Amino acid sequence: MGLLQNVIFGLVTGSYIAVAAIGFTLVYGIVNMINFAYGEYLTVGAFVGLLTAGTLPVPLPVAVLVAMVGGGVASLVLARLFFTPINHTGPVPMLLTSIGLGIALRNLIRLVAGRNARYFDTETATFRLTGVPDVSVGPFDLLGDFFVTSEHLVVVGCAVGVFLALHGLLTRTDVGIAMRAMGDDEDLARVRGVDTQRIRDSVWVLAGVLAGLAGVLVAIQTNVSAGTGYSHILQILAAAILGGAGSPYGAIAGSYIIGLVLSLSTAFLPGGMAELSSAMAFLILVVVLLVKPSGLAAREVREA
Amino acid sequence: MASDNGKTTRRAVLKGVGAGGLVGMAGCLGVEGGGEGGTEGSGEGTGTTGGSTSGGGSPDSIVFGQPAAQTGQWDFLQPGVSQATDAALQNINDAGGPLDTEVELVRRDTGVNPQEARTVVTQLVENDGASAILGLFSSEINPLWDFLQEQRTPVVTPWPGSTFLDTRGGDKGTPENLDDDEWVWRTVVGDTVHTAGNAKRTLDEGYETIGVINGNTEGERSYVEGFLAPYEAEGGSVAQRVEVGLGESSYQSALERLFGADFDAFLVSLPQESAITMLSDWADGGYGGQPVLSDTLGTQAVIDQVGDALNGAWAASPGQSGPNYDTFEQAFQSAGDAEVNAWSPPAWDAMHVVALAIERAGEATPEAIERNLGPVSGGEGTAVSTFAEGKEALANGEEVNFEGAATPTNFTRHGNVFGSVTISVAKNGEFTEAEVIPAEDVRGFVEEGEY
Amino acid sequence: MSVADRLPLGDAAGNGALLLGAVCVLLAAVFALTPLVVSLPGSLYVFFEVAILFAVYGVLVLGLDLQYGHTGLVNFGHVAFFAVGAYAVAMLSARDSFAGVSLGLPWPVALAGGVVVAALLGAAVGATSVRLRDDFLAVATLATAEIVHSLFVSFEGVFGGNVGIGSVPQPVSDLAGDADTAMLATLLLFGGVTLFTLAAVTRLTEAPYGRVLRAIRADELVTRSVGKSVLTYKMQSFVYGAALAGLAGGLFALYTGAVAPGYFTIQVTVTVWIGMLLGGAANHRGVLAGLAVIMGLRLLSRFALGVMPLSADAFASVRLVVVGLILVAVIRYRPAGLWGDAEELGVDT
């Protein structure tokens, strides 16, 4: 088995998760809540994308943009309706509200869209690299022949694009700098004249846009149904927490760790345990919380 | 249909409460005298609640209960079964209904959760007055086994393939004697049997070493075990087996692991959605090899999504080769726009066999249905394909033998059915029937009395 | 102002609950052990079923309330301890299960074993996680529950996979004369156990010990500054809660006669959490009442199928949408719950 090939798979999986995990973790950092309904934001994005691609004569990239806008709008509306009014109550009530909202949204989508899975119509090309030498260590090959598909490249490309855009946003724009300031110390930011509500709204929109993109990416690889996003929420959450909640750069690192763990443990765990790969991801999360409770990026989460 | 449901449900509830209340007041406390006294009392209470008072003539209503997967992990399978059930209901009621009474169907959501299923079955039996249950998955039946036995209401279900039911359920070949009955019947062919057909084909095609990739749910595991038992017994061997979770965004690492071993063909047992993701990954990765698909994957959606790479892959389906599949298909198509899946024809069969059991019994109590499921499904009687034919034959004093859509619906002593297995091969964008392994041959794969 | 306060068992140390519990257990024994039989109206079976489940979940919610309501520990993996208790009891006591391990020990031994195993898991998770901040503890416990769930599904040889463990002894059914009597006896017995639990946690929290727990919840720093080992108290509270969940799991296994992963989904955690918040955390009788409300709503909403102008398909989804929105509404408009003390919980109303 080629290690390199599995690393590629892990990086692709990590890229899906990363796009979503950034949105998740930004909300965590600025609004100070774990949003359990975030998986449904992905689902909404996937449906908007599918509907656009299916009804309008536009190419897929345009449909993706529409899905991102749709995700952003949905996120802002939901935040205004459900989260902003209880902003002051603290993390636990907000977490529980998001659980309730998630149940409601998921079933509402099922009610409206029905139960059948739908598919994006895409073509995939495969690029193969042969003649790569095996570098054997015991039973494993470190290199070996490998392939990538156009889908892989699109996903990783989107993720890298998001990372660059995000970095630019956070370091070069007023809104981004204000976001970082608020993430560090909200009171201080308010004293310095930051309109905290406006920043919160921008974060909600940004999170929704990213969820829309992630939703379509996941949907192209799998399908669109009421459970599309929900089935990935735990991985997104694990990646965000692993990276140190609130830190977008940490979330990126956390996502790739989760992606690699999923892929490598599926490939290399002893027989009969391969399906435990998702449990492995959680095990890593628990271990990281114990060893370095602040996550990969430093922020204290331990109280005593 | 919904409002019809509503009316009867309400009526049945009211009546149930009324009747129950009386029984409750009359005999709430008693001392166990003759041993049977207490049981007898409660048994009668159930009968009355069943909305089918004995005493000749037509009962005012007959209710069937259908626990359904309207939410949860398997919700995408329900539309095909609901539509088949509704089509059968229409068909039965158009022919006048059993005992000239209209059948009402109450469908309630279990989310395929055993806890919910327990509540739903209780509610269907005791409050809605259902005299038969026409649903339940393996993962609900197995943990609820003892509970279902206590209900003493026949469960005729199109869902479960689990080997757990191979030697459980049915009337044990003694229709009149209820003491040995195990109350659960399935109109879908058990995994042990049709997987054997698939295994035979795999060996016949010369594939003696295979890889296996399957989901970690009961249906998927049970399918693989059913396949491997005859396959290995006949000299085949497994090079690598990989279990995966359902609904993952990518199965590429699992495939990489699978194809690290050396084999010619590989068996896929996953629910359709996950299988499509997995097979697309497989096609993109260009792994090659002969795909052998589990019964549920022989659908157009799989070919449409995976594409030409699937050419030559075959699926062995047990459920669509009953003698009267065409009758079913016609009724199904005119009942709505859901897609036929592997459990649709069995759902049609389940409705018919229960309705015929009532017609033959002359009453609609759970016990009467249980006693008559065996007789109307097999034996020497006139072969019938619809309820109307059966009703007519029974009126003429003949015995009937219902021949279904999925299988000939001849229940074994354990309440299982056999059917021929159809091998369909993917070619140029559709599955075409390549071979039919007759029911008699399939029957040879399993020992007498073990199924 | 609260309804719970006016219940006829409102005394300081839970003596009323203890007495009522004893009466229930005694009555249960009368029905189970003597030839006396009852017959219940069939239309009420479904209510009895749910009432028995309520008694089991009642023990769960009391344990959870000890952790969250009194000590402030956000345990979002409560179902894991419930499941571990149930599986331990099932595997220790089952005879010839279709799948998985079955050791055939007497059920009282198994029940004790189940409580111990759940408490040990509680100790292990607690030792490593209770020092985490609220929401991170939630994530750590949630992850634990997911790991436990996937272990049960994956290791077929030990845990029976999706089929689970069957052929678990059902002591009450075996003793009672018939099904109706068994149902009533089970309800009385489990109700008694729930009341005993209520009495026990009431005593615990009325004692000075309970004041320390609430002080930790209100302000940890202050509590530490007066010389209390916050961590020890937190640990104890967490383990008590886990042991209670194990007890509930054991009772559940001995009632259903089988355990399977499908019984132990995140749904259970969500139900007890909603019940606790609805009733008002830190109020023992309140959380039981809250649980009764949510379970009652779920059950009664099933009967609404007949009167709603919806197809059965749509109804199934609508029902869950409503359940989700109720949770949202309660947190928004009654953050302290229906019977909770807003001031003590430190929430704004």
Side-chain angles (χ1 to χ4, degrees):
Chain A
M1 268 175 285
L3 182 66
L4 182 61
Q5 181 71 75
N6 282 298
V7 168
I8 292 173
F9 296 151
L11 291 177
V12 174
T13 307
S15 300
Y16 289 119
I17 303 173
V19 174
I22 293 171
F24 182 90
T25 210
L26 281 174
V27 169
Y28 183 84
I30 308 292
V31 188
N32 197 23
M33 70 172 289
I34 289 178
N35 185 3
F36 237 86
Y38 194 66
E40 276 59 51
Y41 293 25
L42 267 70
T43 312
V44 169
F47 269 107
V48 172
L50 184 79
L51 220 64
T52 314
T55 52
L56 302 177
V58 293
L60 192 60
V62 178
V64 174
L65 287 177
V66 175
M68 290 167 74
V69 173
V73 171
S75 172
L76 183 63
V77 169
L78 289 171
R80 279 295 171 102
L81 283 177
F82 293 97
F83 299 124
T84 309
I86 58 164
N87 243 335
H88 56 282
T89 56
V92 174
M94 306 250 294
L95 167 69
L96 291 162
T97 299
S98 72
I99 291 176
L101 179 63
I103 298 175
L105 276 180
R106 196 156 58 250
N107 285 287
L108 196 64
I109 293 169
R110 195 198 318 272
L111 187 66
V112 176
R115 297 181 164 78
N116 286 330
R118 295 135 204 260
Y119 297 87
F120 275 99
D121 209 5
T122 52
E123 293 291 328
T124 312
T126 304
F127 311 100
R128 205 167 282 284
L129 249 86
T130 48
V132 183
D134 291 350
V135 181
S136 297
V137 179
F140 305 119
D141 301 330
L142 290 187
L143 291 172
D145 298 350
F146 67 94
F147 68 89
V148 290
T149 67
S150 51
E151 219 168 76
H152 291 169
L153 296 176
V154 167
V155 170
V156 176
C158 282
V160 171
V162 165
F163 303 157
L164 293 177
L166 182 84
H167 183 71
L169 179 80
L170 289 180
T171 52
R172 303 277 159 85
T173 66
D174 291 346
V175 174
I177 292 167
M179 276 182 193
R180 283 196 300 156
M182 232 177 115
D184 288 343
D185 190 330
E186 185 172 334
D187 291 331
L188 196 61
R190 198 180 301 118
V191 171
R192 294 295 302 271
V194 173
D195 180 350
T196 52
Q197 187 53 46
R198 193 174 66 92
I199 299 301
R200 271 198 209 99
D201 285 349
S202 333
V203 165
W204 279 116
V205 171
L206 183 56
V209 166
L210 292 173
L213 174 60
V216 176
L217 290 180
V218 169
I220 289 175
Q221 169 69 15
T222 60
N223 57 58
V224 189
S225 69
T228 298
Y230 181 67
S231 52
H232 293 94
I233 182 67
L234 287 175
Q235 286 173 4
I236 295 168
L237 185 143
I241 306 283
L242 191 61
S247 155
Y249 303 106
I252 296 172
S255 301
Y256 283 109
I257 291 175
I258 296 275
L260 288 171
V261 166
L262 284 175
S263 139
L264 295 180
S265 60
T266 304
F268 298 116
L269 272 181
M273 286 173 69
E275 84 255 38
L276 285 178
S277 62
S278 59
M280 288 299 295
F282 291 115
L283 200 62
I284 303 262
L285 171 66
V286 172
V287 169
V288 168
L289 280 179
L290 300 179
V291 178
K292 192 171 184 309
S294 50
L296 300 174
R299 178 180 290 219
E300 190 54 55
V301 299
R302 212 143 61 170
E303 285 190 325
Chain B
M1 226 208 79
S3 60
D4 281 354
N5 266 356
K7 233 171 15 202
T8 344
T9 315
R10 219 163 35 244
R11 197 165 64 214
V13 169
L14 289 178
K15 200 163 58 165
V17 171
L22 279 182
V23 175
M25 277 204 267
C28 191
L29 282 176
V31 176
E32 205 168 19
E36 285 295 289
T39 326
E40 197 89 337
S42 72
E44 208 168 353
T46 312
T48 319
T49 326
S52 44
T53 32
S54 45
S58 313
D60 350 327
S61 74
I62 295 175
V63 179
F64 293 170
Q66 186 161 60
Q70 287 162 325
T71 62
Q73 197 182 7
W74 305 102
D75 60 355
F76 63 96
L77 296 176
Q78 189 62 41
V81 163
S82 292
Q83 187 169 317
T85 308
D86 294 344
L89 184 72
Q90 188 69 40
N91 210 288
I92 290 164
N93 283 338
D94 285 352
L99 312 181
D100 297 321
T101 307
E102 190 161 326
V103 175
E104 309 284 351
L105 185 90
V106 182
R107 185 172 293 139
R108 292 186 182 278
D109 178 36
T110 69
V112 199
N113 173 318
Q115 188 66 59
E116 298 272 308
R118 185 174 173 130
T119 309
V120 163
V121 168
T122 307
Q123 194 186 358
L124 286 171
V125 170
E126 303 296 344
N127 301 83
D128 299 325
S131 40
I133 298 293
L134 294 153
L136 291 179
F137 285 66
S138 302
S139 53
E140 298 171 306
I141 291 173
N142 302 4
L144 290 178
W145 184 254
D146 292 337
F147 166 79
L148 291 173
Q149 299 309 314
E150 285 162 18
Q151 298 309 301
R152 296 179 69 81
T153 300
V155 177
V156 187
T157 167
W159 296 109
S162 172
T163 50
F164 180 84
L165 290 174
D166 282 0
T167 54
R168 289 177 175 81
D171 61 12
K172 308 302 168 199
T174 54
E176 279 310 310
N177 176 8
L178 291 182
D179 294 339
D180 59 357
D181 283 23
E182 287 181 326
W183 300 93
V184 177
W185 308 70
R186 57 176 166 188
T187 48
V188 67
V189 177
D191 289 336
T192 318
V193 174
H194 64 85
T195 53
N198 204 352
K200 178 174 181 294
R201 158 95 183 185
T202 310
L203 286 168
D204 287 352
E205 295 284 309
Y207 298 108
E208 304 212 328
T209 309
I210 54 162
V212 177
I213 182 163
N214 68 280
N216 61 356
T217 45
E218 178 56 19
E220 276 49 55
R221 283 176 174 165
S222 167
Y223 185 92
V224 171
E225 272 138 37
F227 181 97
L228 292 184
Y231 183 74
E232 289 178 329
E234 299 291 322
S237 65
V238 178
Q240 174 72 289
R241 179 172 172 181
V242 179
E243 276 206 354
V244 294
L246 306 185
E248 310 267 333
S249 60
S250 150
Y251 289 101
Q252 263 154 341
S253 303
L255 285 168
E256 193 70 16
R257 181 187 183 112
L258 181 68
F259 284 89
D262 197 25
F263 51 79
D264 315 312
F266 67 106
L267 174 68
V268 179
S269 180
L270 281 168
Q272 183 173 312
E273 329 287 61
S274 301
I276 287 175
T277 307
M278 196 280 283
L279 288 169
S280 304
D281 287 346
W282 165 78
D284 294 346
Y287 292 102
Q290 166 69 40
V292 179
L293 307 177
S294 69
D295 53 336
T296 58
L297 300 179
T299 61
Q300 195 56 41
V302 172
I303 288 209
D304 288 348
Q305 298 306 322
V306 179
D308 291 342
L310 211 55
N311 273 347
W314 75 77
S317 330
Q320 311 188 352
S321 49
N324 293 299
Y325 184 78
D326 296 343
T327 317
F328 153 77
E329 201 181 19
Q330 220 169 14
F332 185 88
Q333 299 305 351
S334 59
D337 51 9
E339 243 190 89
V340 179
N341 63 37
W343 296 274
S344 308
W348 164 273
D349 293 351
M351 283 291 286
H352 276 85
V353 78
V354 172
L356 285 170
I358 293 173
E359 187 71 29
R360 181 178 185 270
E363 56 175 333
T365 60
E367 291 80 5
I369 296 172
E370 178 75 12
R371 284 199 185 92
N372 288 281
L373 282 170
V376 297
S377 63
E380 300 299 311
T382 314
V384 299
S385 65
T386 61
F387 178 75
E389 289 174 30
K391 192 175 163 87
E392 197 187 324
L394 284 167
N396 295 337
E398 299 165 31
E399 286 291 345
V400 295
N401 172 12
F402 176 68
E403 300 275 294
T407 68
T409 325
N410 296 325
F411 285 120
T412 67
R413 56 199 306 267
H414 299 300
N416 294 318
V417 290
F418 281 103
S420 55
V421 174
T422 308
I423 307 279
S424 16
V425 178
K427 206 175 164 191
N428 302 329
E430 59 180 350
F431 276 105
T432 33
E433 192 175 307
E435 181 187 356
V436 176
I437 304 175
E440 304 79 66
D441 289 11
V442 176
R443 197 162 187 144
F445 295 133
V446 246
E447 277 179 56
E448 192 67 35
E450 289 296 303
Y451 179 79
Chain C
M1 79 158 239
S2 90
V3 174
D5 285 342
R6 278 185 256 122
L7 291 177
L9 30 124
D11 63 336
N15 284 329
L18 198 63
L19 196 67
L20 201 60
V23 171
C24 283
V25 172
L26 217 62
L27 273 176
V30 167
F31 285 116
L33 301 175
T34 66
L36 195 68
V37 294
V38 289
S39 76
L40 307 168
S43 53
L44 296 184
Y45 280 4
V46 66
F47 298 98
F48 274 85
E49 292 263 346
V50 173
I52 291 170
L53 191 66
F54 166 74
V56 173
Y57 283 11
V59 177
L60 272 186
V61 79
L62 287 170
L64 183 68
D65 188 39
L66 203 59
Q67 295 173 340
Y68 175 73
H70 289 272
T71 324
L73 296 169
V74 184
N75 174 4
F76 223 84
H78 208 46
V79 69
F81 307 101
F82 181 51
V84 164
Y87 265 88
V89 170
M91 288 161 65
L92 289 171
S93 65
R95 288 168 210 281
D96 305 322
S97 166
F98 174 72
V101 172
S102 42
L103 298 176
L105 297 175
W107 66 265
V109 178
L111 188 58
V115 174
V116 170
V117 172
L120 285 177
L121 178 67
V125 175
T128 48
S129 310
V130 292
R131 58 182 76 227
L132 294 173
R133 208 177 72 189
D134 288 357
D135 35 2
F136 289 87
L137 179 59
V139 173
T141 45
L142 181 71
T144 305
E146 285 302 311
I147 294 170
V148 166
H149 191 86
S150 59
L151 290 180
F152 284 147
V153 174
S154 297
F155 289 99
E156 281 184 279
V158 184
F159 302 114
N162 295 287
V163 180
I165 311 277
S167 313
V168 179
Q170 294 167 283
V172 180
S173 300
D174 295 346
L175 287 171
D178 60 26
D180 284 19
T181 315
M183 197 182 265
L184 185 63
T186 308
L187 179 57
L188 286 167
L189 179 66
F190 285 12
V193 172
T194 310
L195 288 166
F196 283 149
T197 311
L198 175 60
V201 294
T202 308
R203 290 213 168 173
L204 192 67
T205 51
E206 296 287 325
Y209 182 83
R211 283 202 291 278
V212 179
L213 292 185
R214 281 195 299 278
I216 292 175
R217 189 188 206 289
D219 194 328
E220 223 179 286
L221 274 179
V222 174
T223 319
R224 204 179 316 157
S225 67
V226 296
K228 300 287 180 189
S229 165
V230 168
L231 206 57
T232 313
Y233 278 95
K234 279 186 167 181
M235 259 305 276
Q236 286 171 350
S237 167
F238 198 80
V239 172
Y240 289 151
L244 282 177
L247 173 67
L251 292 178
F252 182 78
L254 294 173
Y255 158 60
T256 56
V259 296
Y263 285 122
F264 309 107
T265 59
I266 191 172
Q267 205 60 44
V268 178
T269 305
V270 172
T271 303
V272 290
W273 264 94
I274 297 180
M276 180 173 71
L277 295 170
L278 198 62
N283 176 344
H284 299 305
R285 275 166 282 142
V287 297
L288 284 176
L291 185 67
V293 170
I294 183 67
M295 291 181 74
L297 266 181
R298 284 199 176 192
L299 174 60
L300 292 179
S301 67
R302 288 194 169 281
F303 285 93
L305 171 59
V307 288
M308 299 271 276
L310 286 171
S311 73
D313 268 10
F315 176 77
S317 300
V318 169
R319 190 173 151 258
L320 292 178
V321 170
V322 171
V323 167
L325 290 178
I326 287 176
L327 176 58
V328 170
V330 166
I331 291 163
R332 177 126 160 218
Y333 300 108
R334 293 302 301 256
L338 300 174
W339 294 281
D341 183 340
E343 209 165 307
E344 186 164 313
L345 283 174
V347 291
D348 302 329
T349 35

